[in-house]
Amino acid sequence: MSLTGKLLIGQQTIPGDREIIQGINPATDALLEPAYAGGSAEHVEQACALAWAAFDRYRETALEARAEFIETIAHEIEALGDELIDRAMAETGLPRPRLLGERGRTCQQLRLFARTVRAGEWLDVRVDSAQPQRQPLPRSDLRQRQIALGPVAVFGASNFPLAFSVAGGDTASALAAGCPVIVKAHGAHPGTSELVGRAVARAVKACGLPEGVFSLLYGSGREVGIALVSDPRIKAVGFTGSRSGGLALIKAAQARPEPIPVYAEMSSINPVLLFPAALRNRSQALAEGFVSSLTLGAGQFCTNPGLVIALKGPALDTFIGAAAELIQRSPAQTMLTPGIFNAYESSVNALAENPRARLAAVGQRGTAPNQGQAHIFVADAADFLADHALQAEAFGAASLVVQCAGHEEVREVLEHLEGQLTATLHLDDEDLDQARSLLPTLERKAGRLLVNGWPTGVEVCDAMVHGGPFPATSDPRTTSVGTAAIQRFLRPVCYQDFPDALLPTALKQANPLALRRLLDGQREA
Amino acid sequence: MSLTGKLLIGQQTIPGDREIIQGINPATDALLEPAYAGGSAEHVEQACALAWAAFDRYRETALEARAEFIETIAHEIEALGDELIDRAMAETGLPRPRLLGERGRTCQQLRLFARTVRAGEWLDVRVDSAQPQRQPLPRSDLRQRQIALGPVAVFGASNFPLAFSVAGGDTASALAAGCPVIVKAHGAHPGTSELVGRAVARAVKACGLPEGVFSLLYGSGREVGIALVSDPRIKAVGFTGSRSGGLALIKAAQARPEPIPVYAEMSSINPVLLFPAALRNRSQALAEGFVSSLTLGAGQFCTNPGLVIALKGPALDTFIGAAAELIQRSPAQTMLTPGIFNAYESSVNALAENPRARLAAVGQRGTAPNQGQAHIFVADAADFLADHALQAEAFGAASLVVQCAGHEEVREVLEHLEGQLTATLHLDDEDLDQARSLLPTLERKAGRLLVNGWPTGVEVCDAMVHGGPFPATSDPRTTSVGTAAIQRFLRPVCYQDFPDALLPTALKQANPLALRRLLDGQREA
């Protein structure tokens, strides 16, 4: 399949007429063909009109039909074969095994949402039967279900060109909820985006759905991005990226005559706590696990362990020494884009120049463009508490070890942190009481807590929370990974005293979807 | 019990030091003792500090203990006896039977949330078991539960001095979720607020809970209200009131370093559609039902039927004639406050002066202060579509009948509406197809759809939705009445590879709370 370099508005490929977006191979700085001319407000208008026209029909598709559509997307992505992997490698500098794994994850994610759609629990059907004889007033028949919010704008991430991009978690969960999706492609991987976007469009066609269920736009955040978020037909936004990018979208969404929710996953430094016994008993193994998690994918994970917290002392010194040795041997890695590489360089330079932090180790020099070196810094807790800049995210393989004078200072450091996606505890049996005493703080600070693991793996499943208090995300009530993500795109509607013939299928008295309803206060078996 | 006129901060009664708030009997314009000196930012600080200190403990109370606390509040409110009803009558002008009913509703609402707490479904427990042998990577053990967001600020409504005020739906659902609550009392019923607030505080004490679980402040919206919403320890806001008041709180909540959700229930005109056959077959009965709903409680319901939509013609003329006759005979009714009465007068005067609307009937003149007269206006659909002012809420017993030239104009009027709490359909069998064709529009516009009823009754139950798209509320994903309201004050946390000893009770392997978990993709029986 040859790339067209065009926008995809429903089933139409349409040339853009604004500034060019072009993929760059970060390993060589070479430009990748084709060029993608950006879209304009007029293209946003066309995509929104189609999405709006599709909405009422798409949101009422039968569960089985919707699930099959989502599975068809997975199938179409797999059918792209090596072309997709090769293009994604060229555009991102990520190695083949990682992208093969990410494709697998993306397709499994789609299939998991198909399963979720079929199970129908997301409809959250509640029935309170009429009580015509009730005194002093009769009770009406009341039935509730969830319906889709409306068309959703999705802004893909740079760091997961498949799993968090065109057909990633936001798109999958919005489609599962019954929302048409308009994706603004990330400029870092336009070709990968086109391949996946056309796969989605083929699935729309194959399943006989209205074409407006999916569109893919290219363009600038200022023009296309803000126009999308401001369009009255868009009812929610999914975003993964920088704090400044997320905040700009939130501002636009709040400025609308009808404000809408923005689910922005932004920044997190993912504190890792090393408890005393664990640190004493296995500092070498902890250092190995830490450096391996820190350097995975050049550190370009939302859940990268950017902060280590432990008690100052010989055990921590041993850990830092072991980690420093591993870091010094770690090769530089190609980062996703020249922009990300430059931002990473600025972040580590700022830390290096900060008198409150000390550079403990730096990885090997790069031998090609855009190769980031791993870094470890060390600071005392008092300095960390005194300087907010030390908890800024350095997107890449950099981490700061904070040395605390005692357990209460550990708590103080944790309370001082902004909201996080994850918090990790490394502990042995003797550490349990100390860990338990910090749990209330950790639960308030993060969406996911891990024991004796590393945060960089994010399983796509029912129980995952990839979310957390601001600024980790804009909405801690939600997750952007896992099946609970579907709830972001739903709202409840109540039907009072409806004749059965007028009720939606999910609410009909005979319960044709065999849902376990909340019926008169009891959950059906 | 004698009223103190003081703030209630935890278990302490503390005198305010700002501008006086004093109840007014709207039936006589007489001032009611005592005077309540408003609180300052310092009082907000004290209440927030106590709430924060209480939060970690309160949010982990056992389900049974929390349910008993909420039931104790109901018991303490009932134990106030006639003193509460008498004071509420004096402060609001509402008649005794209405307030007796509202007290019953308030206590039933608390008991329903106690039942919801015990059932534990709100914990939404999800478990994905470890798969250590999985290829290519093992899966961790992942468990998710919901925890409380944090202390919640509640702004009571004027029109339901019990059910939507100090211990109303927002407070009940926040306490059920595990959130401490700080109420800013509505200035229209300070004595009623004190009585109920002290009942809640007695329940806190009787149940041995930390005192910060509940505080009650008096004061100005500008000083106390904004300080509350801006305090970093407050994590969500519940509000019922005017659009301008709600928008001011939302603005303050968005301007915080950490923005927080505001659940504001603001304005709605609650369209009522009269379909042709129903209108032809029973215009007199419809007129009676309509006027009865319109004038209930002097029209001071969020769900008051402020808009009637039907096809122009003899049947509608008959309906309007019958309704006009009933309105002309309807006595004026004391409104809640002089301010609300004056605002209502302004709204109906603006409609009377609007050349696009025609006054069809006005109720009897008042014979005492602050008595509002019912009004019906009529406009053609083309005029309604041309003038946005015609869909402004007139809070009180005023309604506008919009006459449409045909079915497509009905649809156009509906599509033109802002978001609503309710939409009502009056239909006979012959009308079903027309009604069905409008359902997608109605579902997009309103949180609750009714057939052949009137929207003013809002049942407190599992299936109720008292919510809807902006500006009916600030968050259409939620309801402020019914058990689903608890979800507004929760967020998910995931626990990865936790030793059983460190897991919260709800997530322990043995499932000691006997919850129906989502276990490895299957709902437990």
Side-chain angles (χ1 to χ4, degrees):
Chain A
M1 187 173 112
S2 58
L3 295 171
T4 65
K6 291 182 180 157
L7 314 175
L8 182 60
I9 300 182
Q11 293 291 319
Q12 309 298 313
T13 51
I14 293 178
D17 50 17
R18 290 290 194 279
E19 200 177 337
I20 295 288
I21 288 151
Q22 196 155 0
I24 295 172
N25 186 330
T28 61
D29 275 341
L31 282 174
L32 297 166
E33 295 300 328
Y36 290 77
S40 63
E42 197 181 318
H43 296 115
V44 170
E45 162 63 33
Q46 289 171 26
C48 289
L50 278 185
W52 192 246
F55 175 49
D56 281 341
R57 186 173 144 211
Y58 180 63
R59 71 177 163 95
E60 295 298 336
T61 44
L63 301 187
E64 181 58 31
R66 198 185 301 173
E68 281 176 13
F69 164 53
I70 295 170
E71 287 166 343
T72 304
I73 296 173
H75 177 80
E76 290 286 348
I77 290 172
E78 286 164 346
L80 291 168
D82 275 350
E83 185 180 6
L84 176 65
I85 303 299
D86 292 342
R87 179 73 192 193
M89 283 174 66
E91 286 185 329
T92 64
L94 293 170
R96 183 176 296 273
R98 149 70 193 267
L99 287 165
L100 289 171
E102 192 180 328
R103 181 178 64 188
R105 174 204 173 94
T106 305
C107 293
Q108 183 248 331
Q109 179 166 263
L110 287 159
R111 293 189 170 108
L112 189 62
F113 277 107
R115 188 206 76 187
T116 300
V117 168
R118 282 194 183 93
E121 289 207 358
W122 58 273
L123 287 160
D124 190 17
V125 168
R126 297 153 173 254
V127 176
D128 291 300
S129 307
Q131 297 177 349
Q133 311 302 331
R134 192 182 64 173
Q135 293 301 327
L137 288 171
R139 184 169 83 178
S140 292
D141 178 281
L142 291 148
R143 291 161 192 258
Q144 183 188 130
R145 67 163 179 162
Q146 299 282 327
I147 72 167
L149 268 184
V152 171
V154 170
F155 293 78
S158 61
N159 59 340
F160 282 82
L162 302 174
F164 277 86
S165 189
V166 175
D170 283 340
T171 297
S173 53
L175 291 176
C179 299
V181 168
I182 303 175
V183 173
K184 189 185 101 52
H186 198 289
H189 51 270
T192 306
S193 296
E194 184 184 348
L195 290 169
V196 175
R198 288 170 70 179
V200 178
R202 278 196 296 278
V204 170
K205 190 173 184 189
C207 295
L209 294 171
E211 61 173 332
V213 166
F214 179 80
S215 289
L216 173 66
L217 304 177
Y218 298 84
S220 77
R222 274 186 312 282
E223 183 162 5
V224 170
I226 298 298
L228 252 184
V229 173
S230 306
D231 190 283
R233 292 160 295 198
I234 295 293
K235 300 299 184 188
V237 178
F239 169 86
T240 302
S242 70
R243 188 162 170 170
S244 59
L247 293 178
L249 295 184
I250 292 166
K251 196 174 165 190
Q254 287 291 328
R256 296 162 46 118
E258 179 198 15
I260 54 171
V262 175
Y263 302 106
E265 196 253 89
M266 297 179 289
S267 73
S268 181
I269 54 173
N270 305 296
V272 175
L273 283 85
L274 307 177
F275 285 89
L279 194 55
R280 203 165 53 235
N281 296 341
R282 48 194 170 92
S283 58
Q284 180 67 32
L286 287 173
E288 286 167 14
F290 167 61
V291 172
S292 169
S293 178
L294 178 65
T295 57
L296 190 70
Q300 300 164 121
F301 279 68
C302 320
T303 53
N304 187 56
L307 191 72
V308 176
I309 302 166
L311 296 189
K312 196 167 186 160
L316 181 56
D317 293 343
T318 306
F319 168 85
I320 294 172
E325 201 165 298
L326 292 164
I327 287 289
Q328 281 152 7
R329 280 188 273 143
S330 72
Q333 293 180 76
T334 306
M335 297 192 76
L336 289 158
T337 68
I340 286 173
F341 169 72
N342 291 332
Y344 176 68
E345 290 280 292
S346 300
S347 295
V348 292
N349 288 341
L351 275 168
E353 284 164 18
N354 190 319
R356 298 187 196 265
R358 164 176 77 78
L359 179 64
V362 59
Q364 292 183 16
R365 266 179 201 286
T367 55
N370 307 312
Q371 292 194 332
Q373 297 166 265
H375 289 75
I376 300 181
F377 298 88
V378 179
D380 282 336
D383 286 322
F384 182 79
L385 292 167
D387 187 353
H388 195 75
L390 290 180
Q391 64 171 298
E393 183 183 16
F395 190 72
S399 193
L400 175 68
V401 180
V402 174
Q403 311 182 114
C404 301
H407 185 65
E408 279 312 305
E409 200 170 46
V410 170
R411 184 192 307 279
E412 208 180 332
V413 166
L414 291 176
E415 289 287 356
H416 178 68
L417 290 179
E418 296 187 310
Q420 304 292 335
L421 292 172
T422 70
T424 300
L425 301 85
H426 283 281
L427 52 86
D428 283 357
D429 282 351
E430 299 156 70
D431 299 314
L432 274 175
D433 287 344
Q434 270 194 23
R436 187 176 286 111
S437 83
L438 295 176
L439 272 187
T441 303
L442 294 169
E443 288 170 334
R444 280 191 270 100
K445 289 292 178 180
R448 178 165 58 112
L449 309 180
L450 304 81
V451 168
N452 293 339
W454 298 97
T456 29
V458 182
E459 185 75 30
V460 181
C461 60
D462 293 313
M464 177 50 61
V465 176
H466 191 65
F470 186 91
T473 77
S474 56
D475 190 340
R477 297 164 295 176
T478 62
T479 174
S480 63
V481 176
T483 57
I486 192 174
Q487 292 165 5
R488 301 178 297 167
F489 302 114
L490 295 168
R491 50 173 276 257
V493 176
C494 173
Y495 302 77
Q496 181 170 329
D497 287 335
F498 262 51
D500 209 59
L502 213 53
L503 279 170
T505 310
L507 298 184
K508 284 190 192 292
Q509 184 63 16
N511 192 15
L513 302 182
L515 301 167
R516 288 186 179 177
R517 306 170 298 180
L518 186 58
L519 176 62
D520 296 323
Q522 298 292 321
R523 180 64 58 185
E524 290 182 304
Chain B
M1 186 173 113
S2 60
L3 295 172
T4 66
K6 291 181 181 157
L7 314 176
L8 183 58
I9 299 183
Q11 292 291 320
Q12 308 299 313
T13 51
I14 293 178
D17 49 17
R18 290 291 193 278
E19 200 177 336
I20 295 289
I21 288 150
Q22 196 156 359
I24 295 171
N25 185 329
T28 61
D29 274 341
L31 281 175
L32 296 165
E33 294 302 327
Y36 289 77
S40 64
E42 197 180 318
H43 296 114
V44 170
E45 162 63 31
Q46 290 171 26
C48 289
L50 277 186
W52 191 246
F55 174 49
D56 281 341
R57 186 173 145 212
Y58 180 62
R59 70 178 163 94
E60 295 299 334
T61 43
L63 300 188
E64 181 58 30
R66 198 184 302 173
E68 281 176 13
F69 164 53
I70 295 169
E71 288 166 342
T72 304
I73 297 173
H75 176 79
E76 290 287 348
I77 290 172
E78 286 164 345
L80 292 168
D82 275 350
E83 185 180 7
L84 177 65
I85 302 299
D86 292 342
R87 178 72 191 195
M89 283 175 67
E91 287 185 329
T92 64
L94 292 170
R96 182 176 297 273
R98 149 70 193 267
L99 287 165
L100 289 171
E102 192 180 328
R103 181 178 63 188
R105 173 205 175 95
T106 305
C107 294
Q108 183 247 331
Q109 179 167 260
L110 287 159
R111 293 190 170 106
L112 189 62
F113 277 107
R115 188 205 77 188
T116 300
V117 167
R118 283 195 183 92
E121 289 207 356
W122 57 274
L123 288 160
D124 190 16
V125 168
R126 297 154 172 254
V127 176
D128 290 299
S129 306
Q131 296 176 350
Q133 311 303 330
R134 191 182 65 173
Q135 294 300 329
L137 288 171
R139 183 169 83 177
S140 293
D141 178 280
L142 291 148
R143 290 161 193 260
Q144 183 188 128
R145 68 163 178 162
Q146 299 282 327
I147 72 168
L149 268 183
V152 171
V154 170
F155 293 78
S158 61
N159 59 340
F160 282 82
L162 302 173
F164 279 85
S165 189
V166 175
D170 283 340
T171 297
S173 53
L175 290 176
C179 300
V181 168
I182 303 175
V183 173
K184 189 185 102 51
H186 199 290
H189 51 270
T192 305
S193 296
E194 183 184 348
L195 290 169
V196 174
R198 289 169 69 179
V200 178
R202 277 196 295 279
V204 170
K205 190 173 184 189
C207 295
L209 294 171
E211 61 173 332
V213 166
F214 180 80
S215 290
L216 173 65
L217 304 177
Y218 296 84
S220 78
R222 273 186 312 282
E223 183 162 3
V224 170
I226 297 299
L228 252 185
V229 173
S230 305
D231 190 283
R233 293 160 294 198
I234 295 294
K235 300 299 185 188
V237 178
F239 169 87
T240 302
S242 71
R243 189 162 171 171
S244 59
L247 293 179
L249 295 185
I250 292 166
K251 196 173 165 190
Q254 287 291 329
R256 295 163 47 118
E258 178 198 16
I260 55 172
V262 175
Y263 302 106
E265 195 253 271
M266 297 180 289
S267 73
S268 181
I269 54 174
N270 305 296
V272 175
L273 282 85
L274 307 176
F275 285 88
L279 194 56
R280 203 166 53 235
N281 296 339
R282 46 194 172 95
S283 57
Q284 179 68 32
L286 287 172
E288 286 167 15
F290 166 61
V291 172
S292 169
S293 178
L294 177 66
T295 58
L296 191 70
Q300 300 164 120
F301 279 69
C302 320
T303 51
N304 188 56
L307 191 71
V308 176
I309 302 165
L311 297 190
K312 195 167 188 161
L316 181 57
D317 293 343
T318 305
F319 168 86
I320 294 172
E325 202 166 297
L326 292 163
I327 286 288
Q328 281 153 7
R329 280 189 273 144
S330 72
Q333 292 180 77
T334 306
M335 298 192 75
L336 290 158
T337 69
I340 287 173
F341 170 71
N342 291 333
Y344 176 68
E345 291 279 293
S346 301
S347 295
V348 293
N349 288 341
L351 275 168
E353 284 163 19
N354 190 320
R356 298 185 195 267
R358 164 176 76 78
L359 180 64
V362 58
Q364 294 184 13
R365 266 179 202 286
T367 56
N370 307 312
Q371 292 194 333
Q373 296 166 266
H375 288 75
I376 299 182
F377 296 89
V378 179
D380 282 336
D383 286 322
F384 182 79
L385 292 168
D387 186 354
H388 195 75
L390 290 180
Q391 63 172 300
E393 183 184 16
F395 189 72
S399 193
L400 174 68
V401 180
V402 174
Q403 311 182 115
C404 301
H407 185 63
E408 279 312 304
E409 200 169 46
V410 170
R411 183 190 309 278
E412 208 181 332
V413 166
L414 291 176
E415 289 287 356
H416 178 67
L417 291 179
E418 296 187 309
Q420 304 292 334
L421 292 171
T422 70
T424 298
L425 302 85
H426 282 281
L427 52 86
D428 283 357
D429 283 351
E430 299 157 69
D431 299 315
L432 275 175
D433 286 344
Q434 270 195 24
R436 187 175 288 112
S437 83
L438 294 177
L439 272 187
T441 303
L442 293 169
E443 289 170 333
R444 280 191 271 101
K445 290 292 178 180
R448 177 165 58 112
L449 309 180
L450 304 82
V451 169
N452 292 339
W454 298 97
T456 29
V458 182
E459 185 75 30
V460 182
C461 60
D462 294 313
M464 177 50 61
V465 176
H466 191 64
F470 186 92
T473 77
S474 56
D475 190 339
R477 297 164 295 176
T478 62
T479 174
S480 63
V481 176
T483 57
I486 193 174
Q487 293 165 5
R488 299 178 298 168
F489 302 113
L490 295 168
R491 49 173 276 258
V493 176
C494 173
Y495 302 77
Q496 181 170 330
D497 287 335
F498 263 49
D500 209 58
L502 213 53
L503 279 170
T505 310
L507 298 184
K508 284 189 193 293
Q509 184 63 16
N511 192 16
L513 302 182
L515 300 167
R516 289 186 180 177
R517 305 171 300 181
L518 187 58
L519 175 62
D520 296 322
Q522 299 292 321
R523 179 65 59 184
E524 290 182 305

